[in-house]
Amino acid sequence: SDYLAMVANLCGITSENQEKTVFDALVQVDLVSQASKRIADCSKGMRQRLGLAQAMMGNPPLLLLDEPSNGLDPNGQVEMQAVIKNLHVAGRTIMISSHQLDEITAVCTQLIILNNGRIHYQNSMVEALTISPHTLIQADRDLGEIAPTLLAQHPQIQVKGSKVFLRGEAMSLRRNILAVLLRAQFDIIHVEQKHTTLAEIYARAVQ
């Protein structure tokens, strides 16, 4: 807390408001119980959250976080994500730069993909992840011998190796495709309703 008090002083926060400002910041990053701990004795996750508390001194309208979970173990990542979500719920505007796609998916409400300094994709996270839903059917062996029959069912059907992808209106033909495969003596290994992943969105955006 002494460190944050120093930062608050540098930010021009008056002495009568410093104690409350520091306490509020510690509450928001879940470090109140560690307020008297030396920084050198803190875990990396605690130091990351302390840095976040430091960034909130002076109540900036926007927080810019660069790889906030970088180097943290799984527990530390979960803790950092919880802190970021709570800050967002409390009304903070937060911009995160990260290559941790799981983290971005977990905490962000808006998505911007940059490449070479240019915006290549922008959407809400919900819309981005629900675009292009598809059904995946996986057989026990390569489908080359029956691919023409499958592809003839609908133009939005794709066959790759042992997998069949049904997109758009073709998704309603799942039972038909399964019947075709079973009649041709293929065993069905896996059937799954899938949505586009952030990795797929990124790959398409920057290609």
Side-chain angles (χ1 to χ4, degrees), residues 83 105 117 130 141 176:
V83 167
T105 303
T130 54
R141 61 186 188 276
N176 301 47

Side-chain angles (χ1 to χ4, degrees), residues 87-146:
L87 289 173
H88 174 67
V89 170
R92 294 274 184 176
T93 300
I94 305 168
M95 182 175 290
I96 300 174
S97 171
S98 178
H99 292 86
Q100 303 284 339
L101 299 186
D102 289 343
E103 175 180 62
I104 295 298
T105 303
V107 303
C108 293
T109 58
Q110 298 291 321
L111 173 66
I112 298 175
I113 295 176
L114 299 174
N115 189 42
N116 294 325
R118 295 180 178 273
I119 295 177
H120 284 244
Y121 182 88
Q122 184 172 358
N123 206 342
S124 74
M125 187 63 73
V126 171
E127 289 187 9
L129 295 179
T130 54
I131 289 174
S132 300
H134 61 277
T135 299
L136 164 65
I137 301 173
Q138 183 170 359
D140 62 331
R141 61 186 188 276
D142 189 271
L143 295 167
E145 63 187 80
I146 200 175

Side-chain angles (χ1 to χ4, degrees), residues 52-201:
L52 188 52
Q54 173 188 331
M56 291 189 293
M57 292 294 104
N59 195 30
L62 174 66
L63 288 176
L64 300 177
L65 307 182
D66 183 25
E67 306 281 1
S69 294
N70 186 42
L72 300 184
D73 63 23
N75 287 336
Q77 292 177 21
V78 170
E79 290 171 355
M80 177 59 76
Q81 289 172 15
V83 167
I84 292 172
K85 288 179 181 178
N86 289 337
L87 289 173
H88 174 67
V89 170
R92 294 274 184 176
T93 300
I94 305 168
M95 182 175 290
I96 300 174
S97 171
S98 178
H99 292 86
Q100 303 284 339
L101 299 186
D102 289 343
E103 175 180 62
I104 295 298
T105 303
V107 303
C108 293
T109 58
Q110 298 291 321
L111 173 66
I112 298 175
I113 295 176
L114 299 174
N115 189 42
N116 294 325
R118 295 180 178 273
I119 295 177
H120 284 244
Y121 182 88
Q122 184 172 358
N123 206 342
S124 74
M125 187 63 73
V126 171
E127 289 187 9
L129 295 179
T130 54
I131 289 174
S132 300
H134 61 277
T135 299
L136 164 65
I137 301 173
Q138 183 170 359
D140 62 331
R141 61 186 188 276
D142 189 271
L143 295 167
E145 63 187 80
I146 200 175
T149 302
L150 296 171
L151 295 173
Q153 303 293 314
H154 197 280
Q156 288 182 290
I157 293 177
Q158 292 179 298
V159 178
K160 295 182 180 179
S162 63
K163 298 177 181 178
V164 184
F165 298 89
L166 312 179
R167 303 182 187 277
E169 295 179 357
M171 292 173 65
S172 64
L173 300 177
R174 183 178 66 177
R175 290 185 178 181
N176 301 47
I177 298 301
L178 289 171
V180 170
L181 293 172
L182 292 172
R183 283 198 300 270
Q185 303 299 308
F186 284 89
D187 289 332
I188 307 303
I189 303 299
H190 184 67
V191 179
E192 183 180 1
Q193 182 81 18
K194 301 192 70 174
H195 292 283
T196 302
T197 66
L198 204 52
E200 292 170 333
I201 294 171

